[in-house]
């Protein structure tokens, strides 16, 4: 039972019970040097909530239901990610250790915006190592860590062009940050990304 309840189940959005689900064991965090943001002890999820799952970003709780899997009854949180048409089913007892959380508070996101305005802190290490660290920050789901990636890789007009891989990581971080800001502002992700970009360019 414990082994099964540690698993997060992924399947294409809209797939029925007969569809083959993929069982994926998720670590509590990604990257050996990255400490994930502490999750509130009494975080309770409800149908309709927008939530953040570390490796997939912003999704919405479709329903919470008890289901039988491999002979065991588990209470599962069904989370849909419309953009990549995927549904994630997370056992309620393992939601915190899987990194599932509600949207950041406005205060926390204001801290992320302050980080965006800060000075870039680029380490003097090989790009491959920095890229791994940036990806770990993105997959942590922590808006403060993701803001650091955006800040460090942002280029204003007149500055040297980014490499292709830098641009990819920058866009992935901006996408994650924009999705969460859009959900907070009750607007779409693209509008939120424009807001973030304008904010960066005005710094």
């Amino acid at each position: 039972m414990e082994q099964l309840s540690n698993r997060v189940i992924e399947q294409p959005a809209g797939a029925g019970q007969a569809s083959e689900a993929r069982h994926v064991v998720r670590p509590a965090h990604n990257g050996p040097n990255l400490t994930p943001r502490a999750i509130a002890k009494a975080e309770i999820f409800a149908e309709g909530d927008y939530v953040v799952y570390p490796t997939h970003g912003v999704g919405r709780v479709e329903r919470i239901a008890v289901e039988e899997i491999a002979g065991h009854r588990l209470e599962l949180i069904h989370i849909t990610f419309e953009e990549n048409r995927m549904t994630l089913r997370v056992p309620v007892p393992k939601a915190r250790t899987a990194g599932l959380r509600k949207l950041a508070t406005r205060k926390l996101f204001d801290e992320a915006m302050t980080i965006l305005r800060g000075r870039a802190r680029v380490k003097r290490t090989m790009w491959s190592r920095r890229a791994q660290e940036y990806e770990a920050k993105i997959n942590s789901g922590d808006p403060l860590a993701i803001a650091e990636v955006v800040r460090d890789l942002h280029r204003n007009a007149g500055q040297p062009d980014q490499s292709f891989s830098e641009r990819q990581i920058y866009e992935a971080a901006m996408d994650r940050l924009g999705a969460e800001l859009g959900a907070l502002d009750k607007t779409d992700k693209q509008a939120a990304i424009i807001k973030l970009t304008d904010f960066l360019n005005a710094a």
Side-chain angles (χ1 to χ4, degrees), residues 181-192:
L181 178 60
L184 273 174
D185 285 349
K186 293 182 171 54
T187 184
D188 62 272
K189 181 176 69 177
Q190 196 54 44

Side-chain angles (χ1 to χ4, degrees), residues 160-175:
D161 291 335
Q162 293 169 312
S163 68
F164 177 72
S165 57
E166 280 183 308
R167 186 70 191 174
Q168 277 190 314
I169 293 175
Y170 172 79
E171 288 178 353
M174 183 65 88
D175 185 87

Side-chain angles (χ1 to χ4, degrees), residues 44-184:
I44 299 172
F45 305 100
E47 184 178 325
D49 283 349
Y50 281 99
V51 295
V52 177
Y53 188 78
T55 52
H56 295 302
V58 176
R60 190 169 189 177
V61 176
E62 184 179 281
R63 64 193 178 99
I64 299 175
V66 175
E67 296 181 21
E68 187 169 317
I69 299 177
H72 299 286
R73 291 177 64 79
L74 293 174
E75 188 176 17
L76 301 172
I77 304 170
H78 290 239
I79 307 160
T80 56
F81 300 85
E82 292 183 9
E83 193 167 344
N84 56 12
R85 297 183 60 78
M86 189 189 73
T87 295
L88 202 66
R89 288 185 287 167
V90 182
V92 170
K94 296 299 174 183
R96 291 182 71 251
T97 55
L100 184 67
R101 65 172 175 84
K102 290 187 177 181
L103 293 177
T105 61
R106 182 62 64 178
K107 180 180 178 181
L108 183 65
F109 214 90
D110 285 345
E111 289 180 41
M113 298 295 276
T114 299
I115 288 173
L116 291 181
R117 278 274 172 90
R119 188 172 182 176
R121 299 176 183 177
V122 180
K123 294 181 181 179
R124 294 176 179 270
T125 57
M126 292 180 61
W127 165 247
S128 58
R129 184 183 179 95
R130 283 191 287 128
Q132 288 179 341
E133 291 177 358
Y134 288 147
E135 287 172 353
K137 286 184 176 184
I138 293 170
N139 288 328
S140 74
D142 184 343
L144 302 184
I146 297 170
E148 290 174 359
V149 178
V150 173
R151 176 200 66 197
D152 292 351
L153 294 179
H154 179 68
R155 294 290 187 273
N156 285 314
Q159 291 184 309
D161 291 335
Q162 293 169 312
S163 68
F164 177 72
S165 57
E166 280 183 308
R167 186 70 191 174
Q168 277 190 314
I169 293 175
Y170 172 79
E171 288 178 353
M174 183 65 88
D175 185 87
R176 287 290 184 87
L177 211 57
E180 187 155 6
L181 178 60
L184 273 174

Side-chain angles (χ1 to χ4, degrees), residues 7-12 19-26 56 86-89:
R7 296 181 181 273
V8 173
I9 305 164
E10 295 182 6
Q11 65 185 117
S19 298
E20 182 181 355
R22 194 156 53 91
H23 295 258
V24 184
V25 177
R26 295 294 187 197
H56 295 302
M86 189 189 73
T87 295
L88 202 66
R89 288 185 287 167

